[in-house]
Amino acid sequence: MTNSADNHWYPVAMSSGVTGPRDTQLLGCKISLGRTNDQFWVRDANGRDMPVIHKYGHLWTSPGKPNRDLFAIPEADESGRRLVDVGSVRVKCSPLRAVENFLDIAHFPFIHSDILGAEPHTEVARYEVKIHEDVNEIWATKVKFFQPMAAKSAAGGIITDYKYRVAAPTVSILYKTSPPRPGEWDVIALFVQPLTEELCEVWPWMALYDDDAEQADLVNFQQMIFMQDRSILENQIPRKLPLDPGMETPTQADMTSIAYRRWLKKLGYSYGAQVVAA
Amino acid sequence: MILYDYILSASCYKVRLMASLIGVPLTLKGVNFHPEKEHKSHDMLALNPDGTLPTLVDGDRVLTQSTEILRHLVSNKAPEWLGKTTAQTDHWLLFASALNSSLGMARLHDILSYETDIDQVRRDGVAQLRHLEEHLTEQRIEGLAFLTGDTPTIADIACFPNTALAPDGGVSLDPYPAIRLWMRDIRSLPRFIEMPGIHRMHELVDPSGATA
């Protein structure tokens, strides 16, 4: 069975971490990657060269024929931003579950207590979700949430504005109020490498305005946030993301998640998904 | 006191937790352990030639073993945390080091892709959890909630993180009710702090307004 999942770009390494050749997995298949002089390469299990793009601190490849370029993050080129490679964390969950969790706001007070949310400020106000047909991306806008410590650079609680974007089936990007520059957006992306349908490597990456923090503190902050999610992700049932309504009852706060599932279904993207109604 | 710290390290968390429980302020210096391996950098090796975390600097003293750091933290300010009998405390401090090599390594394998014989370290971890479960069950029959008595000591704090984080390394805690009760007692201590993978106790709020 050919899977439409083949025809997308996936992150497979943080480029600064590629020294000697090494093996990894993509969509259940072994691949290898490395660098020769200044040239990065990725090969499939038969030793055939796969396409490589080096962008946003990571190497991207595809087992098939992507019908579009890698998505754009124009903010990456803006001067004054710090680009932060956070490194990878391996999670025993569907790659789609990892993306969906990243899109969710309602869990902040319970999982990221006193950081990204705090009881009793648990309400997710109405926001807007649209599919941008020209680029085939999902955008959630006008999201607002009270956060005690929105970023490493935050001095106290603020109402944080968010925008969420699904740029590819396993890539989600959020834009949030930058505490030191309230008129600007910090960019935090989650690049998910599907190792198998129930195992993924997650590569967070950030483009922030923060002139003060140590790089290590920015990395540790983001790893702390993501690791708070990990134990939740590994315990979600069913293991694969259901694309049809059934066992799970969504609420208004889940509008982005509903749009994501419908969008995946329309794309015919079934890797890591449960396509039969439960 | 300055703690060179990594947020995901179980051993660094022992130190942060102990300091919080006894009200000792720490200045945290984040080290980019992953992905940059900054604990092996020139500056860090100059401070701690072993290139390990946690590293605690208190004036002229540099302490690099988590057991030694726990003792140092409590010795003046809260010596009751050293325990009544050294032999018992020492036994469980050694046990904590063994947990670091089994459950701790399984966790590093599963999260950060460290290379290890994963089946072996998980087997070792399960054997240790069974030992811990047996001991805590006996303690509870005696009416004692903690490893060496009715109050917690540095031994409890040393053993807690890698035990509580066992699921991160693919080892379930479901079969161990005494361990879960013990963890609950530790999480209920005043000034308890969490780390990623170890959640705080959420208060159960009675709809009438009274706190349960």
Side-chain angles (χ1 to χ4, degrees):
Chain A
M1 187 182 97
T2 54
N3 195 324
S4 83
D6 284 349
N7 299 324
H8 293 273
W9 292 104
Y10 296 99
V12 289
M14 198 175 79
S15 48
S16 66
V18 178
T19 45
R22 68 160 182 266
D23 293 340
T24 178
Q25 261 186 306
L26 181 60
L27 302 171
C29 300
K30 187 188 144 230
I31 60 169
S32 55
L33 58 90
R35 74 188 294 173
T36 307
N37 302 320
D38 282 339
Q39 207 63 40
F40 292 106
W41 52 263
V42 181
R43 292 183 192 129
D44 69 14
N46 299 318
R48 274 194 297 265
D49 279 320
M50 294 167 69
V52 187
I53 295 176
H54 175 206
K55 219 165 178 184
Y56 315 128
H58 291 74
L59 292 193
W60 301 80
T61 192
S62 173
K65 293 186 173 52
N67 53 15
R68 52 181 290 196
D69 296 336
L70 189 67
F71 56 88
I73 307 180
E75 292 82 3
D77 301 321
E78 287 175 4
S79 66
R81 281 183 189 270
R82 287 174 66 178
L83 306 182
V84 184
D85 295 339
V86 180
S88 71
V89 170
R90 184 169 288 202
V91 190
K92 287 189 281 281
C93 75
S94 156
L96 309 179
R97 287 267 190 209
V99 169
E100 185 188 56
N101 174 76
F102 192 73
L103 301 172
D104 179 61
I105 308 135
H107 74 283
F108 286 175
F110 309 103
I111 309 302
H112 311 295
S113 309
D114 299 337
I115 306 169
L116 301 185
E119 294 173 83
H121 310 282
T122 57
E123 186 184 354
V124 180
R126 185 175 277 278
Y127 56 89
E128 292 179 8
V129 181
K130 284 193 179 121
I131 308 284
H132 288 206
E133 302 284 353
D134 52 336
V135 282
N136 201 12
E137 293 185 357
I138 305 168
W139 281 78
T141 55
K142 301 181 185 170
V143 183
K144 286 182 189 296
F145 205 69
F146 172 81
Q147 300 200 312
M149 187 177 151
K152 190 67 205 166
S153 55
I158 52 172
I159 297 282
T160 307
D161 290 291
Y162 272 90
K163 292 189 285 189
Y164 282 91
R165 170 183 174 200
V166 180
T170 69
V171 173
S172 181
I173 304 163
L174 67 78
Y175 301 77
K176 64 187 288 190
T177 313
S178 173
R181 291 205 201 179
E184 301 281 355
W185 300 94
D186 278 342
V187 179
I188 304 177
L190 203 68
F191 303 147
V192 182
Q193 173 184 357
L195 299 168
T196 71
E197 289 196 271
E198 295 185 16
L199 184 67
C200 55
E201 199 81 62
V202 178
W203 308 87
W205 176 88
M206 309 191 282
L208 310 177
Y209 286 110
D210 187 329
D211 298 329
D212 300 325
E214 298 285 343
Q215 192 84 355
D217 290 332
L218 294 174
V219 169
N220 280 2
F221 183 83
Q222 194 54 37
Q223 287 186 7
M224 170 183 74
I225 297 296
F226 190 72
M227 279 298 293
Q228 289 176 333
D229 289 311
R230 185 177 181 271
S231 58
I232 307 300
L233 281 168
E234 295 200 337
N235 284 292
Q236 285 182 335
I237 292 171
R239 306 286 305 152
K240 293 182 191 173
L241 185 73
L243 299 191
D244 298 292
M247 285 171 78
E248 296 173 329
T249 308
T251 68
Q252 188 188 296
D254 302 319
M255 277 167 36
T256 319
S257 161
I258 296 164
Y260 177 54
R261 294 179 186 205
R262 287 180 181 160
W263 179 81
L264 288 170
K265 200 172 175 187
K266 199 172 161 199
L267 280 181
Y269 195 99
S270 59
Y271 198 82
Q274 178 181 297
V275 283
V276 180
Chain B
M1 276 184 274
I2 299 170
L3 176 67
Y4 289 84
D5 184 43
Y6 176 53
I7 185 71
L8 302 185
S9 153
S11 297
C12 291
Y13 170 62
K14 290 175 195 173
V15 179
R16 296 196 300 270
L17 174 59
M18 190 71 254
S20 174
L21 291 171
I22 61 170
V24 168
L26 292 177
T27 304
L28 300 181
K29 294 256 191 224
V31 176
N32 191 334
F33 178 91
H34 170 78
E36 292 299 324
K37 298 188 173 67
E38 207 175 59
H39 54 301
K40 306 286 187 196
S41 68
H42 182 263
D43 287 357
M44 284 306 297
L45 289 174
L47 189 65
N48 172 7
D50 293 337
T52 55
L53 294 176
T55 299
L56 185 85
V57 178
D58 185 6
D60 297 338
R61 293 191 66 180
V62 179
L63 303 172
T64 60
Q65 301 298 318
S66 54
T67 301
E68 184 189 20
I69 296 174
L70 293 182
R71 281 208 183 91
H72 179 75
L73 282 177
V74 301
S75 55
N76 290 323
K77 169 111 185 180
E80 66 277 14
W81 283 84
L82 291 170
K84 291 186 192 100
T85 64
T86 322
Q88 269 194 323
T89 312
D90 285 354
H91 170 79
W92 292 107
L93 288 171
L94 271 178
F95 183 80
S97 307
L99 286 178
N100 208 42
S101 313
S102 56
L103 297 176
M105 184 49 79
R107 179 169 171 267
L108 289 173
H109 171 274
D110 278 17
I111 297 175
L112 303 181
S113 304
Y114 271 48
E115 285 187 18
T116 187
D117 181 345
I118 185 63
D119 295 331
Q120 184 61 48
V121 293
R122 283 194 187 130
R123 269 199 301 277
D124 292 348
V126 167
Q128 287 156 352
L129 288 174
R130 291 174 65 109
H131 175 60
L132 182 62
E133 173 72 13
E134 185 181 11
H135 176 71
L136 287 168
T137 304
E138 286 172 355
Q139 289 289 93
R140 210 156 268 277
I141 291 167
E142 304 286 327
L144 307 172
F146 297 98
L147 285 174
T148 64
D150 57 0
T151 55
T153 67
I154 52 173
D156 294 279
I157 302 310
C159 292
F160 172 70
N162 277 308
T163 304
L165 295 167
D168 273 357
V171 176
S172 170
L173 292 172
D174 290 354
Y176 311 110
I179 289 177
R180 294 203 308 278
L181 285 169
W182 168 73
M183 294 194 304
R184 197 182 165 88
D185 285 334
I186 293 175
R187 289 161 66 216
S188 304
L189 293 171
R191 293 192 293 253
F192 175 83
I193 53 168
E194 69 262 56
M195 75 164 275
I198 300 179
H199 299 275
R200 73 176 69 174
M201 307 283 283
H202 284 268
E203 278 182 25
L204 297 174
V205 180
D206 187 309
S208 70
T211 305

